[in-house]
Amino acid sequence: MMATKEKALLTERQALSSSGLRITSQRALILDIIGRGHEHLDADEIYRQARKKDPRLSLSTVYRNLQMLKKAGVIDELRFGESRHHYEIKSAVEHHHLVCLGCGKVVEFKCRLCPEMRKDVARKEGFDITGVEVTMTGYCAKCRQGRR
Ligand SMILES: [Zn+2]
Ligand SMILES: [Zn+2]
């Protein structure tokens, strides 16, 4: 498990260097934090964690670097219909998100039916579909208990 994560981290560095962006220690740090997080962290959380390692970092620097990494195609910015944006390392594997309306927890899932749906819609609408994003909202097991 650990080894896989380390390997993934290496890939992130490679993605960064092949994107043409200069690898600064700040970018590497931000990328490491995003890559390590199982949750999809928002900018504030990334900032909070990054500050522990580099107290000189400002929130605006974190924002600026996130935008650059996004533009370079190294990370994805996700919006789940609220004001906060979440970040994740751009992954080759298509996946989707479940968002808890109670605590904001984000869970990834793979969609077995999506490739079928994609083909079907592409054929019917004459679209060249380049991406599918499914977001489901609801309440996680923990929050469901609290609502009872
Ligand atoms: Zn929840
Ligand atoms: Zn994700």
Side-chain angles (χ1 to χ4, degrees):
M1 190 68 200
M2 196 60 204
T4 326
K5 206 67 199 168
E6 289 301 316
K7 223 168 159 188
L9 228 53
L10 268 179
T11 325
E12 287 145 22
R13 300 278 181 114
Q14 276 160 13
L16 183 58
S17 58
S18 66
S19 72
L21 269 187
R22 209 158 49 85
I23 308 177
T24 63
S25 60
Q26 291 175 342
R27 275 177 205 147
L29 175 60
I30 290 170
L31 215 52
D32 279 359
I33 290 168
I34 298 174
R36 226 170 265 145
H38 290 286
E39 345 263 306
H40 295 60
L41 304 173
D42 64 15
D44 289 339
E45 183 56 28
I46 293 166
Y47 170 62
R48 212 178 56 76
Q49 293 190 21
R51 273 287 292 259
K52 285 189 206 155
K53 292 262 170 68
D54 184 354
R56 296 162 306 159
L57 263 183
S58 69
L59 183 58
S60 63
T61 306
V62 170
Y63 271 121
R64 207 175 49 238
N65 277 299
L66 286 172
Q67 291 313 307
M68 288 171 111
L69 289 167
K70 187 182 88 172
K71 267 202 198 123
V74 181
I75 59 171
D76 268 333
E77 186 180 67
L78 307 159
R79 289 159 218 233
F80 297 126
E82 15 128 5
S83 50
R84 290 185 310 156
H85 296 173
H86 301 254
Y87 298 90
E88 69 180 12
I89 303 295
K90 209 178 192 82
S91 101
V93 188
E94 189 172 271
H95 68 270
H96 307 281
H97 300 96
L98 272 166
V99 183
C100 178
L101 297 171
C103 63
K105 177 190 172 112
V106 179
V107 179
E108 296 190 341
F109 70 94
K110 301 245 155 48
C111 171
R112 224 162 20 90
L113 300 172
C114 285
E116 274 309 305
M117 187 176 76
R118 178 184 180 138
K119 262 190 252 164
D120 191 46
V121 173
R123 196 173 46 233
K124 277 192 193 133
E125 304 295 336
F127 250 67
D128 176 17
I129 295 171
T130 57
V132 180
E133 238 174 83
V134 179
T135 304
M136 295 188 190
T137 49
Y139 295 90
C140 72
K142 223 179 184 177
C143 290
R144 279 175 63 196
Q145 261 176 5
R147 280 162 59 83
R148 240 177 254 148

